[in-house]
Each structure stands twice: as structure tokens, then as C-alpha cells.
């Protein structure tokens, strides 16, 4: 038995989020049964298709999302008895039907939990199962704009009159799928140990809000609403043309700027005071950029990438699908895999988002044909024995979180690793952050402090956001005694996490091969930009660069325009979600096999798996999809429209002709429904400019909430583009208890984005505010390691503790 082999997962719904959560489990060995309606999953109709000929068995998006699964068709609610049989069979049930569809199809999590109280049941919905917006119609554009991401995208935009921009594809749904996998696997760990299942309510809007970097906390701490037109605080930062394409460069530290000047031969213009360091450069970027562009015009992308990286400057090529296909590093790590399908044939697809020492990840078979496994699966379900009720303890105990008892040594810093570790803390793990006053976590130094307080590393909003629920132990790892303390602590841990550059943990004597000598069943996750093997392993890859090298930005941008940044350091939270997913899977596997795992998370690979529509179109037809702004390959209208007010916007999407007719009536233009330009989806797409102009003429005379309420009342997906102030004041989000407002010893009570899932049986909400530096040093050394007070005092006197 390896990985999740033998774990039974039931997937219901359509599109991306639930399918991606189930795919993550299927690829690690779980037996996933995908339930479709008689019409088939919507993803079957989205494409891309070989030769652009629509065929529900050859849709690239469906093929990518559903490899390794078995497939059945259920006509719900008529076949509800079969759904109840499936519930008895399953360990995990994940679906993404919105509440109105749940009611129509007869899907009730409480009923399913009564049938199988040991099952983990996760409902992934746009706005959650409760609250005033729970029944709102939504598409992916709705929640990406409604969760605050689009308002800040594209980053440092030079297009102030253009609308906020969603990233290409279904990025909000992919991240929600990752969150669902983390929540499901975390609760499965408890279910395997105790027999206690759970009902999980996961909101896509809250998931998006949970990772919009510093933007919400800048409002909470400073009262500032950041927009996509905000200039960079550091420069060079952005896309620069080269001889054969473009590169993305981030010069974040003064020493990196000096290294770049060395590479340039220290030209005379660089001696000017305006170009002293990245901060002064940012104030004078319009003067600096022409010099950089002129110099880079003589370089190829690859030449400059390699030369800059050798000087520890974060530079990456801006890759499209062909660039990914031909990349030597991805090839060396075996990233792409060939997948056979009975109808579509052999197609090269993106492979694993992380690499594992114990090789669980595998594509065993292609996506199922519609209803292909009905006979065999229905027989299995019919034979499934009712799950025994969980054993009742002799003395009633307080509800616990699923990872209670799991201890994690957290060496991560900045964002990717801390974000992943925080999810595990939300699930109940004791996360002990190892840090030092002599080498402060950069997250403690980001200049977002309370407006009414002096700056201090314990008051930094960035750190206080991404370290909620953790403990802090302050050790100077340059001292041998500190490393001995760390090794003793690891002996009492289940998981070790780091996101240092490749090789750093090994040089400290804390690599995986060292740790298994201390704790043979340890689970270790190491996160870095390019992974821990391959020719680019020594290179640095900051989160903003990852979207550029993974192809996301080559597909994101306004129609007819250039590649655009996506507003956040997207590689970081995505890498953190992936690390947390793999760790939870490893804990589940260890519970059943007693074996640990080493997880190598490449931020680049973890994001390159998120462009299946772009990649599959390239793999099938050899072309690169065009950038389309907020538009969609099928739906029209599907865009972000101006609303009354300064920089106010609202999104609208019609999934079918019925919704378009409802919209035409709602805006007082019923004749548009019969206009031959707009009669069907195909003709509306062909006349989309005219269609958008008509809708914008109507929306700009109303507030974004007026438009939302008018259109939602007739069943059309409409929702405001939300900024941080909107999110802070939103009664739906606030009423669901999403925000964390816990007392902090330095900054008092501040509002932070919290946990995007809510549970029916276990505790909800963040357990504790982020720690001040070293707050838990004595407690951990005393209670975990058993050190007497005099030994702790000697360590402090020797400055091992700091």
C-alpha cells in the first residue's frame, strides 16, 4: 500500500474546483469515482479540442482534471438511492454544487453524514452554505473579483482606464480545489484515527480573500486601499524586452542592485543619486527603465536568465506554452507525462506539482468516458457495508481539530512556507516556528505597521497575517548548541518544513537524510523556486516570478495586449497550498503504513500545472491561446463593466441563452434577446465588443451593488469587483465569521483574513494571533524537550536563545 491507495473518494459537481481537489487525491493513489449528470460535466464542453472540433470525450480541460478517476452517471434526484449507497462506500465526499443546485439535486451534507458518520464531506460553493449571498449565481470571474484579487490585478498597471483583470483560466477555482484537498485530507487523518467524520463548508470567495497578500491587512493596519495602479516600492521589478522575447526581473535587495550594476559594467548613468538602491530606483523608474531596456536589447532571454541568476538576481524568462515544452530544467525533472486516452489518444500533459521520495504520484489511466464505469461501480456501491458509528469515549471530550497532536518544526519564512504551515496550524497542528533576532524573517520587515504605532518587527502586519496560530522559538542557528536543540526538537516532531534555497538545510545538517536518522518516520517538505534537483536548482525564484515562468502571465492580459502580472506573488500561496496538501496526504499514509515522506515542492512546477486550458490547446493543436482579459472562451457576456463612482466595477456572466434573455429584460432592453447579433452564444461571442458596449452603457449609471441586486434577482451571475474596504465591510463575509480578530500583545485587536472553511462538528476560527519573536521559547524547551530552568538560563546566557 502506498500513498492514498485504498482511500475512496466520491466527487460530484462540474467544472474545476471539486474536480481538482479529487484529482490531487487520485494522483496520489486514491480511488476516485466521478459522478456526472446525464448531460456530462461542463468541463467536457469547454475544450480545448483537437482540431478545434468540439467532442465531449476530447475536451482538454476535462482530460487533464479527470485522469486516474472512474466515471459514472447519476440522474439526480431520481437516483438518490444510488447516491446514498455511494455515501456508505466513501471515505471522502467532495462536491461543488451551489446551494440552489444542491436543493434541486437532493444533495444534503447532513443527510450524507447521517448515512456515513465516518465520512469527510466537503461542500465547495461560491459564497458558502450560509449567509445572504449563499444562493447567488456565480462563475469563476464572480469570486475572483468578489474575493478582492482582481481589483489589484494587473500589478503596477500602466492602464488606469482598463478594468480590473482576472488571471487566465480558473485560478480561483484551482486554489479552492487545493484548499478543499487540504481540508479533506486533514480531516481524513482524524477520521482514520477516531472514526469521526466531518462536514466542511468551503467558500471560494473566502478562499480567494485568504491569499491576496498584503492588500487586506494594509487596510486593516493602515487604512489604505491598494489598487492595481499602485507603483512598485522596489525597482527594477517587471517585464523587460530582450532580443528574442521578454524576461521578468525583481531586484529586491540593495546587494542585488549592485550585482546587476556589476553585470552591466557599471555604466556612467548608474552613478546618479536617483539610482542608488531599489527604493530610490522605484521613485525614478521612468528614468531608469530606458537604460535597462536599451542594455537588455542585446541579450537573449536564456543568456540573461543564466547570467543574472549566477549573481543571485531573481530573473526568469517569460515563458509561453512552447517555452515550457522545450525547457531543459522541466525536462530534467521529468515534469511532463504522456497520458493515453481511448478517444483522444496520447497527449503530453503537465505532471506532478511536487516530487516525492516515496514515489506515490502516478497517472495510471486517462479520464473516463461518460458513464464508462456505471455497471462495476454501482455493484460496488450496492455491496458497501454501512459504516459503523464512531466509538464513543467513556468520558465526553471537547471537540478537537483534526491535526491535534501533530507537531511541526517550521523553518519557513517570507510567504510560501509560512502560508502552508499556517493551514496546518488552522487544522490543529502545533506549528513551532524556528526564527532568530539576528536574521529576522523578511515577513517581519515588510513595511506595513499600524498607523498609530512605531515600526517594530513584532508589529508587522505581513508576519502577523501569515503566522496566525503558530508558536515562536528564537534560536541562533549559527551556534552548534542551537542546532543540537533543533535536532532534539525534531525528534519530537512529525513534520519539518522549510523554504530555504536548495542545499541550505543540508549544509545545516538538517537535510532529509539527516533527519530520518533522528526520526525514521519524519515527513519533510522543502519548498523552493525551482525544486531541489535539475540544472536550475541553485537559482532563486520569488513568488511574483513564478507566474511569469509558468506560463500563467503569458496567457493573462488585456485583449491584444502584452503579458501582465497577476497582482500578487501568486507562486507563494499556491506553493504553500501544495505543500500543505502533500503533508496531509503523507500523514494519512503514515497513519496506515508507518512510513514518512520527503516532499520537494518547486514553486515553478506547482504553478505550471494550473494552465491546462493553455497547455492542452498547445499540446493538441500547437498554438498559444490569445489573451482575452476578463472574457471567456464560451460565455458572452462575461466581463468586468464600469459602475457609477471612481474606479468602481461590476462583473456579469451569462452561462446560457436563458440567462442572456433574463439580462436583456432586466436592463430594460428585451428586444436585444431577439437581435440576430446576440441570438446565441456563438453569435454573441462574434459580436462581443458591441454586446459589452451596450451593457457598459447600462452599468455605468448604477452602483455595483444596484447592478448586482437587479441581475441576481433574475438569476444572472453579477457581483462587484471588491476592494479591501468593501471586503472589510461586507455583511456576508463578516456574518460567516471569516475574519480573525484576536488580541495580539503588541498591536492589539486587528482584523485578519481567517480560515476559508467552516466545520459542523469541530472548532472553527483561528486559535491564536501570530506570536511575538521568541514568545514560546521557554515553554517549548520546558514542556516539549523537558529542559530544566537552569539549562534554559545557560542557553540564554550563551546567546543560543535570542
Amino acid at each position: 500500500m502506498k500513498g492514498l491507495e485504498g482511500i475512496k473518494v466520491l466527487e460530484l459537481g462540474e467544472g474545476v474546483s471539486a474536480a481538482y481537489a479529487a484529482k490531487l487525491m487520485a494522483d496520489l493513489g486514491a480511488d476516485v469515482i466521478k459522478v456526472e449528470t446525464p448531460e456530462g460535466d461542463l468541463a467536457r464542453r469547454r475544450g480545448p479540442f483537437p482540431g478545434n472540433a468540439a467532442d465531449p470525450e476530447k475536451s482538454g480541460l476535462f482530460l487533464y482534471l479527470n485522469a486516474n478517476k472512474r466515471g459514472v452517471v447519476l440522474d439526480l434526484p431520481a437516483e438518490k438511492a444510488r447516491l446514498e449507497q455511494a455515501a456508505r462506500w466513501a471515505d471522502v465526499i467532495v462536491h461543488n454544487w451551489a446551494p440552489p443546485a444542491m436543493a434541486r439535486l437532493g444533495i444534503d451534507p447532513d443527510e450524507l453524514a447521517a448515512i456515513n458518520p465516518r465520512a469527510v464531506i466537503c461542500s465547495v460553493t461560491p459564497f458558502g452554505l450560509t449567509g445572504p449571498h449563499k444562493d447567488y449565481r456565480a462563475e469563476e470571474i464572480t469570486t475572483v473579483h468578489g474575493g478582492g484579487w482582481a481589483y489589484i490585478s494587473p500589478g503596477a498597471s500602466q492602464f488606469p482606464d482598463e478594468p480590473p483583470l482576472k488571471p487566465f483560466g480558473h485560478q480561483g477555482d484551482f486554489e479552492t480545489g487545493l484548499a478543499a484537498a487540504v481540508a479533506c485530507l486533514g480531516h481524513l487523518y482524524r477520521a482514520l484515527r477516531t472514526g469521526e467524520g466531518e462536514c466542511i463548508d468551503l467558500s471560494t470567495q473566502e478562499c480567494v480573500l485568504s491569499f491576496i497578500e498584503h492588500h487586506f491587512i494594509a487596510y486593516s493596519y493602515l487604512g489604505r486601499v491598494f489598487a492595481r495602479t499602485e507603483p512598485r516600492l522596489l525597482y527594477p521589478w517587471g517585464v523587460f524586452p530582450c532580443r528574442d522575447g521578454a524576461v521578468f526581473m525583481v531586484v529586491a535587495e540593495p546587494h542585488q542592485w549592485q550585482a546587476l550594476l556589476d553585470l552591466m559594467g557599471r555604466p556612467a548613468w548608474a552613478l546618479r543619486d536617483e539610482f542608488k538602491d531599489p527604493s530610490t530606483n522605484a521613485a525614478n523608474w521612468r528614468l531608469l527603465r530606458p537604460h535597462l531596456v536599451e542594455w537588455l536589447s542585446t541579450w537573449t532571454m536564456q543568456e540573461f536568465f543564466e547570467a543574472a541568476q549566477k549573481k543571485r538576481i531573481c530573473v526568469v524568462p517569460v515563458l509561453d506554452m512552447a517555452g515550457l515544452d522545450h525547457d531543459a530544467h522541466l525536462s530534467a525533472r521529468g515534469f511532463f507525462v504522456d497520458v493515453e486516452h481511448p478517444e483522444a489518444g496520447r497527449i503530453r500533459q503537465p505532471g506532478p506539482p511536487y516530487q516525492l521520495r516515496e514515489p506515490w504520484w502516478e497517472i495510471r489511466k486517462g479520464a473516463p468516458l461518460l458513464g464508462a464505469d456505471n455497471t462495476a461501480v454501482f455493484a460496488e456501491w450496492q455491496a458497501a457495508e454501512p459504516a459503523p458509528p464512531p466509538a464513543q469515549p467513556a468520558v465526553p471530550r471537547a471537540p478537537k481539530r483534526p491535526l491535534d497532536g501533530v507537531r511541526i518544526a517550521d523553518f519557513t519564512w517570507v510567504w510560501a512556507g509560512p502560508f502552508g504551515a499556517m493551514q496546518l496550524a488552522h487544522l490543529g497542528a502545533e506549528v513551532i516556528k524556528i526564527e532568530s533576532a539576528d536574521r529576522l524573517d523578511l515577513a517581519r520587515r515588510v513595511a506595513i505597521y499600524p498607523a498609530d504605532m512605531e515600526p517594530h518587527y513584532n508589529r508587522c502586519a505581513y508576519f502577523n497575517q501569515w503566522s496566525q496560530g503558530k508558536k515562536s522559538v528564537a534560536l541562533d542557528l549559527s551556534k552548534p548548541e542551537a542546532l543540537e536543540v533543533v535536532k532534539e526538537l525534531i525528534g519530537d516532531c512529525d513534520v519539518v518544513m522549510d523554504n530555504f534555497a536548495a542545499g541550505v538545510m543540508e549544509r545545516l545538517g538538517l537535510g532529509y537524510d539527516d533527519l530520518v536518522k533522528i526520526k525514521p518516520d519524519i515527513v519533510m517538505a522543502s519548498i523552493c523556486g525551482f525544486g531541489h534537483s535539475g540544472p536550475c536548482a541553485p537559482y532563486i525564484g520569488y513568488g511574483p516570478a513564478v507566474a511569469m515562468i509558468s506560463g500563467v502571465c503569458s496567457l493573462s492580459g488585456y485583449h491584444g495586449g502584452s503579458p501582465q502580472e497577476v497582482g500578487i506573488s501568486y507562486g507563494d500561496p499556491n506553493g504553500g497550498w501544495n505543500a500543505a496538501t502533500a503533508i496531509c496526504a503523507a500523514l494519512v499514509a503514515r497513519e496506515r503504513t508507518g512510513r514518512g515522506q520527503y516532499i520537494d515542492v518547486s514553486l515553478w512546477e506547482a504553478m505550471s500545472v494550473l494552465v491546462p486550458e493553455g497547455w492542452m490547446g498547445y499540446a493538441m493543436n500547437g498554438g498559444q491561446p490569445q489573451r482575452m482579459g476578463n472574457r471567456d472562451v464560451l460565455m458572452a457576456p462575461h466581463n468586468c463593466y464600469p459602475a457609477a463612482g471612481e474606479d468602481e466595477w461590476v462583473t456579469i456572466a451569462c452561462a446560457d441563452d436563458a440567462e442572456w434573455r433574463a439580462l436583456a429584460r432586466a436592463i430594460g432592453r428585451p428586444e436585444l434577446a431577439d437581435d440576430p447579433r446576440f441570438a446565441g452564444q456563438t453569435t454573441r461571442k462574434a459580436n462581443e465588443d458591441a454586446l459589452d458596449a451596450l451593457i457598459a452603457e447600462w452599468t455605468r449609471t448604477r452602483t455595483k451593488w444596484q447592478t448586482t441586486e437587479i441581475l441576481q434577482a433574475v438569476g444572472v451571475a453579477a457581483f462587484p469587483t471588491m476592494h479591501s474596504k468593501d471586503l472589510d465591510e461586507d455583511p456576508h463575509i463578516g456574518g460567516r465569521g471569516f475574519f480573525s480578530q484576536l488580541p495580539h500583545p503588541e498591536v492589539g485587536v486587528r482584523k485578519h483574513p481567517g480560515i476559508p472553511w467552516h466545520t459542523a462538528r469541530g472548532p472553527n476560527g483561528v486559535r491564536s494571533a501570530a506570536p511575538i519573536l521568541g514568545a514560546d521559547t521557554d515553554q517549548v524547551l520546558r514542556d516539549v524537550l523537558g529542559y530544566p530552568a537552569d539549562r534554559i538560563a545557560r542557553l540564554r546566557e550563551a546567546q543560543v536563545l535570542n
Side-chain angles (χ1 to χ4, degrees):
M1 182 183 295
K2 64 178 186 178
L4 300 181
E5 185 180 352
I7 298 298
K8 295 172 288 190
V9 179
L10 183 69
E11 174 206 326
L12 303 100
E14 60 182 7
V16 172
S17 55
Y20 193 60
K23 170 184 168 56
L24 290 163
M25 292 182 268
D27 293 350
L28 295 174
D31 180 10
V32 175
I33 295 178
K34 181 181 185 69
V35 177
E36 300 184 66
T37 63
E39 297 78 23
D41 187 340
L42 174 63
R44 291 183 180 275
R45 303 188 287 280
R46 288 195 60 84
F49 302 102
N52 298 314
D55 184 330
E57 299 296 1
K58 298 180 181 179
S59 165
L61 180 62
F62 184 87
L63 295 176
Y64 172 74
L65 288 171
N66 296 293
N68 283 334
K69 301 177 186 178
R70 295 189 285 167
V72 302
V73 169
L74 282 186
D75 187 7
L76 295 173
E79 294 187 276
K80 189 173 180 180
R82 280 216 167 101
L83 178 62
E84 294 172 352
Q85 292 174 346
R88 284 197 292 271
W89 169 89
D91 299 304
V92 175
I93 303 171
V94 58
H95 79 89
N96 65 351
W97 291 116
M102 291 170 65
R104 185 177 73 252
L105 298 170
I107 297 171
D108 185 327
D110 292 333
E111 288 182 5
L112 297 177
I115 293 168
N116 184 356
R118 293 173 174 265
V120 174
I121 303 166
C122 183
S123 299
V124 181
T125 62
F127 299 102
L129 296 176
T130 62
H133 299 159
K134 72 179 179 66
D135 292 333
Y136 271 15
R137 275 280 296 117
E139 300 292 342
E140 198 258 357
I141 189 175
T142 314
T143 47
V144 168
H145 282 257
W149 187 359
Y151 189 79
I152 52 179
S153 174
S157 175
Q158 300 302 302
F159 311 103
D161 296 329
E162 293 288 348
L165 182 69
K166 75 180 287 291
F168 170 81
H170 297 83
Q171 302 307 313
D173 285 345
F174 276 117
E175 296 306 305
T176 307
L178 279 159
V182 170
C184 285
L185 289 169
H187 286 87
L188 177 62
Y189 176 77
R190 181 182 66 184
L192 292 174
R193 306 182 88 198
T194 67
E196 299 171 11
E198 183 59 273
C199 289
I200 302 165
D201 169 8
L202 174 57
S203 157
T204 301
Q205 182 191 32
E206 291 170 4
C207 182
V208 171
L209 172 51
S210 77
F211 64 80
I212 59 170
E213 203 163 1
H214 61 277
H215 293 90
F216 183 85
I217 48 177
Y219 180 75
S220 175
Y221 277 59
L222 295 172
R224 283 194 61 184
V225 174
F226 281 93
R228 61 203 172 282
T229 53
E230 298 279 343
R232 294 292 181 203
L233 299 178
L234 303 170
Y235 199 82
W237 180 320
V239 177
F240 296 87
C242 287
R243 199 168 74 219
D244 61 344
V247 294
F248 180 79
M249 174 164 45
V250 176
V251 178
E253 303 277 1
H255 69 85
Q256 292 175 322
W257 173 239
Q258 294 303 315
L260 181 61
L261 292 180
D262 287 342
L263 189 59
M264 299 176 73
R266 295 203 165 262
W269 58 260
L271 300 176
R272 293 161 57 179
D273 287 344
E274 298 99 300
F275 309 136
K276 186 166 53 177
D277 58 42
S279 297
T280 56
N281 292 346
N284 300 287
W285 73 269
R286 294 182 189 276
L287 297 174
L288 175 56
R289 184 175 175 84
H291 293 294
L292 297 174
V293 169
E294 180 182 9
W295 179 70
L296 282 167
S297 67
T298 64
W299 291 78
T300 67
M301 292 189 299
Q302 191 66 26
E303 287 169 349
F304 186 55
F305 172 46
E306 294 174 1
Q309 285 283 356
K310 286 175 183 174
K311 288 186 170 290
R312 306 299 291 164
I313 303 167
C314 183
V315 169
V316 298
V318 179
L319 294 185
D320 58 12
M321 301 300 101
L324 291 174
D325 188 21
H326 298 111
D327 186 82
H329 180 78
L330 294 178
S331 177
R333 282 174 60 88
F335 174 66
F336 291 105
V337 295
D338 289 330
V339 181
E340 290 281 359
H341 187 268
E343 293 287 335
R346 178 183 289 253
I347 301 175
R348 196 166 182 241
Q349 298 187 17
Y354 32 70
Q355 295 198 356
L356 306 174
R357 181 74 64 92
E358 296 281 334
W360 303 336
W361 194 97
E362 181 185 8
I363 299 295
R364 303 178 299 280
K365 60 181 180 179
L369 303 178
L370 184 63
D373 301 294
N374 278 22
T375 301
V377 167
F378 292 165
E380 285 183 40
W381 289 352
Q382 191 169 13
E385 296 289 334
Q392 296 299 315
V395 178
R397 58 176 181 243
K400 292 186 176 182
R401 297 177 193 246
L403 296 188
D404 273 344
V406 172
R407 182 174 291 134
I408 300 174
D410 175 14
F411 293 88
T412 67
W413 69 331
V414 195
W415 192 14
F419 183 84
M422 182 181 69
Q423 310 310 322
L424 303 175
H426 289 340
L427 288 168
E430 180 186 16
V431 178
I432 301 172
K433 181 175 177 62
I434 311 298
E435 53 181 334
S436 170
D438 295 325
R439 191 170 184 263
L440 278 175
D441 185 340
L442 181 62
R444 288 192 180 274
R445 294 179 276 144
V446 176
I448 306 175
Y449 304 100
D452 56 346
M453 295 182 179
E454 290 294 317
H456 188 275
Y457 55 73
N458 282 327
R459 298 171 185 162
C460 179
Y462 200 89
F463 181 89
N464 290 346
Q465 172 60 44
W466 308 122
S467 292
Q468 295 180 91
K470 302 179 187 178
K471 296 180 177 180
S472 171
V473 168
L475 290 168
D476 182 354
L477 294 183
S478 68
K479 299 187 185 313
E481 299 96 322
L483 287 170
E484 290 306 312
V485 173
V486 162
K487 290 177 181 178
E488 285 190 57
L489 178 60
I490 289 170
D492 284 304
C493 286
D494 302 280
V495 178
V496 173
M497 297 180 67
D498 81 274
N499 63 334
F500 298 136
V504 170
M505 290 292 277
E506 286 77 8
R507 289 193 291 275
L508 288 170
L510 299 175
Y512 180 68
D513 291 334
D514 301 302
L515 300 189
V516 292
K517 297 173 184 175
I518 301 170
K519 185 79 181 295
D521 64 350
I522 197 76
V523 173
M524 182 177 189
S526 291
I527 309 167
C528 66
F530 297 89
H532 291 75
S533 64
C536 296
Y539 291 177
I540 57 174
Y542 299 155
V546 174
M548 289 288 174
I549 198 171
S550 67
V552 171
C553 292
S554 77
L555 298 161
S556 301
Y558 299 110
H559 182 69
S562 59
Q564 294 296 314
E565 295 185 61
V566 295
I568 60 172
S569 301
Y570 185 21
D572 286 316
N574 179 66
W577 280 126
N578 275 279
T581 300
I583 288 169
C584 287
L587 290 171
V588 168
R590 193 184 71 168
E591 184 66 21
R592 301 187 305 148
T593 68
R595 301 186 66 172
Q597 177 65 280
Y598 175 71
I599 304 157
D600 172 9
V601 181
S602 157
L603 298 184
W604 182 5
E605 292 165 359
M607 182 154 289
S608 295
V609 302
L610 301 185
V611 289
E613 287 168 296
W615 172 264
M616 296 296 276
Y618 167 81
M620 290 173 166
N621 301 315
Q624 170 89 359
Q626 291 187 336
R627 289 177 282 277
M628 61 178 67
N630 288 293
R631 289 177 173 176
D632 183 73
V633 295
L634 292 181
M635 288 180 265
H638 184 286
N639 215 329
C640 179
Y641 300 92
E646 179 71 21
D647 200 26
E648 297 282 270
W649 304 85
V650 63
T651 62
I652 299 171
C654 289
D656 54 33
D657 293 344
E659 291 183 11
W660 160 241
R661 289 192 292 271
L663 184 147
R665 291 192 298 270
I667 67 174
R669 299 289 303 275
E671 75 279 3
L672 292 177
D674 298 318
D675 189 315
R677 297 173 298 168
F678 311 132
Q681 275 191 327
T682 303
T683 53
R684 287 197 297 278
K685 283 297 296 179
N687 296 283
E688 203 161 10
D689 288 343
L691 176 66
D692 283 342
L694 286 167
I695 294 172
E697 182 181 350
W698 181 78
T699 61
R700 63 169 42 98
T701 64
R702 292 159 176 80
T703 70
K704 58 193 179 186
W705 280 111
Q706 287 173 333
T707 294
T708 296
E709 289 160 6
I710 290 169
L711 295 184
Q712 286 286 353
V714 297
V716 173
F719 204 79
T721 300
M722 304 278 271
H723 52 61
S724 296
K725 185 173 186 292
D726 294 330
L727 295 163
D728 177 69
E729 297 172 352
D730 185 68
H732 175 85
I733 299 172
R736 280 176 52 82
F738 169 70
F739 290 114
S740 170
Q741 300 183 76
L742 297 172
H744 183 277
E746 292 269 351
V747 302
V749 176
R750 305 279 168 170
K751 188 178 283 189
H752 296 87
I755 306 173
W757 60 79
H758 304 255
T759 56
R761 303 178 194 173
N764 285 294
V766 176
R767 290 181 301 176
S768 61
I772 63 173
L773 181 67
D776 306 286
T777 303
D778 286 19
Q779 180 267 317
V780 169
L781 297 187
R782 181 185 66 246
D783 298 343
V784 177
L785 299 183
Y787 285 9
D790 60 340
R791 184 176 179 184
I792 295 172
R794 287 195 301 271
L795 289 170
R796 181 161 281 110
E797 185 178 347
Q799 297 184 333
V800 173
L801 313 179
N802 64 3

